[in-house]
Amino acid sequence: MSERRVPRSRRFLVCEPRHFAVQYAINPWMHPDRPVDVDLAQDQWQALIRAYRAHGHTVDTLEPVPGLPDMVFAANAAFVVGGRVFGSLFHAPERRPESEHYDTWFKAAGYDVHRPESVTEGEGDLVWTGRYVLAGTGFRTTREAHREAQEFLGHPVIGLTLVDPYFYHLDTALFVLDDDNICYFPQAFSAGSREVLRRLYPDAVLATREDALAFGLNSVSDGRNVFIAPRAEALAERLADHGYVPVPVDLSEFHKAGGGIKCCTQEIR
């Protein structure tokens, strides 16, 4: 069945985990008393970059900044559609300085950058479907930011409420497979949001809590190949049954900070 799926070349922005560490706790995954193996994190991150390039994707890099240990999580810094960059205003004060460095990169590359007035965390909570934006709220990004994003981007924004603190960003509970379908964990969402997703995507690939806890939903799809955490074996099998090709990439060291493949990947559209 996989031959019916057509991959689309993507462009990604990433940031090397040179200064990666867990120095504070802003989600349930983070425990500063658990040491991070920076060398292992570097090796895992490099493996992700090699996997992207091996599948024909373009990867740009942003220089990391000392003192910003979460800067490696590039997805949280912005949301980009049609050359417009809707920047970030992080919920946690510790992460707010990251925004300036990403904004500077995008401006130097010629992009129109909007600095939001409301708390918003980029692709962590804003997901492009090809037609509209799915937007998470409940823990980080606010509903005011949803409205602000719609005004700036000119695309419809559909709000979804997250209810489980382990899945504090939308990209830990849902990812887009292609222009027609998504994969998500229903119980990460409020009852009304689950109904919205059922109506929008009646044929969605559904994940379990175990899949989500294995960071299986913090994945990146190019329409055919799905770059996914190796521990999410059951979800990978389900995706293969639907014609997608799982590409396991181990970013387990980043799970200590509540991040994974998608968190490390900003897509530039």
Side-chain angles (χ1 to χ4, degrees), residues 12 14 47-59 219-220 227 249 261-262 264-265:
F12 300 131
V14 299
L48 177 64
I49 305 312
R50 288 195 300 270
Y52 283 152
R53 288 176 171 154
H55 287 82
H57 304 303
T58 300
V59 180
S219 297
V220 172
F227 303 87
V249 184
I261 292 170
K262 176 55 193 170
C264 291
T265 310

Side-chain angles (χ1 to χ4, degrees), residues 34 68 79 145 169 190 222 241 247 252:
R34 297 179 186 173
L68 298 178
F79 177 75
H169 272 155
S190 66
D222 63 14
D241 289 342
V247 181
S252 55

Side-chain angles (χ1 to χ4, degrees), residues 202-258:
D203 299 318
V205 178
L206 301 183
T208 65
R209 183 175 176 83
E210 289 71 24
D211 297 327
L213 289 172
F215 287 82
L217 292 165
N218 197 240
S219 297
V220 172
S221 173
D222 63 14
R224 181 176 189 269
N225 304 293
V226 178
F227 303 87
I228 188 171
R231 286 177 49 222
E233 294 181 7
L235 180 57
E237 291 179 6
R238 224 167 299 135
L239 291 168
D241 289 342
H242 284 77
Y244 299 95
V245 180
V247 181
V249 184
D250 183 11
L251 259 64
S252 55
E253 200 62 17
F254 297 94
H255 297 176
K256 295 177 180 179

Side-chain angles (χ1 to χ4, degrees):
M1 191 188 295
S2 61
E3 66 274 12
R4 298 210 302 263
R5 303 292 181 189
V6 180
R8 181 182 300 170
S9 296
R10 308 296 174 100
R11 183 184 178 194
F12 300 131
L13 176 63
V14 299
C15 183
E16 179 192 350
R18 193 183 310 159
H19 309 295
F20 175 58
V22 178
Q23 297 176 347
Y24 42 77
I26 58 174
N27 66 57
W29 301 92
M30 301 179 82
H31 300 279
D33 57 333
R34 297 179 186 173
V36 167
D37 186 333
V38 178
D39 290 337
L40 176 58
Q42 287 270 15
D43 290 344
Q44 292 181 344
W45 182 84
Q46 291 288 353
L48 177 64
I49 305 312
R50 288 195 300 270
Y52 283 152
R53 288 176 171 154
H55 287 82
H57 304 303
T58 300
V59 180
D60 294 309
T61 57
L62 174 69
E63 184 71 12
V65 176
L68 298 178
D70 282 339
M71 198 169 167
V72 63
F73 299 125
N76 304 151
F79 177 75
V80 187
V81 176
R84 292 186 175 186
V85 178
F86 188 71
S88 64
L89 177 60
F90 285 95
H91 181 269
E94 295 91 339
R95 296 201 64 185
R96 289 192 172 182
E98 297 174 31
S99 301
E100 178 183 350
H101 300 286
Y102 280 94
D103 287 355
T104 298
W105 188 93
F106 279 112
K107 288 176 181 177
Y111 288 89
D112 180 16
V113 178
H114 174 78
R115 292 300 301 272
E117 297 179 1
S118 307
V119 170
T120 181
E121 301 200 352
E123 284 194 323
D125 277 323
L126 301 175
V127 175
W128 178 243
T129 68
R131 291 169 289 173
Y132 42 76
V133 181
L134 297 178
T137 191
F139 297 102
R140 301 291 183 83
T141 299
T142 64
R143 289 201 177 273
E144 290 77 13
H146 295 180
R147 291 191 285 270
E148 195 176 344
Q150 181 167 279
E151 287 301 310
F152 174 68
L153 298 169
H155 291 290
V157 174
I158 298 172
L160 301 168
T161 300
L162 297 159
V163 297
D164 188 325
Y166 276 92
F167 313 115
Y168 55 93
H169 272 155
L170 185 59
D171 72 357
T172 65
L174 176 153
F175 72 98
V176 171
L177 287 164
D178 50 40
D179 288 345
D180 299 313
N181 211 0
I182 65 170
C183 177
Y184 71 100
F185 169 46
Q187 283 67 43
F189 298 90
S190 66
S193 296
R194 291 198 298 272
E195 182 62 25
V196 168
L197 289 170
R198 278 195 294 267
R199 290 176 183 273
L200 290 175
Y201 297 99
D203 299 318
V205 178
L206 301 183
T208 65
R209 183 175 176 83
E210 289 71 24
D211 297 327
L213 289 172
F215 287 82
L217 292 165
N218 197 240
S219 297
V220 172
S221 173
D222 63 14
R224 181 176 189 269
N225 304 293
V226 178
F227 303 87
I228 188 171
R231 286 177 49 222
E233 294 181 7
L235 180 57
E237 291 179 6
R238 224 167 299 135
L239 291 168
D241 289 342
H242 284 77
Y244 299 95
V245 180
V247 181
V249 184
D250 183 11
L251 259 64
S252 55
E253 200 62 17
F254 297 94
H255 297 176
K256 295 177 180 179
I261 292 170
K262 176 55 193 170
C263 289
C264 291
T265 310
Q266 168 70 237
E267 184 170 352
I268 302 174
R269 304 172 190 84

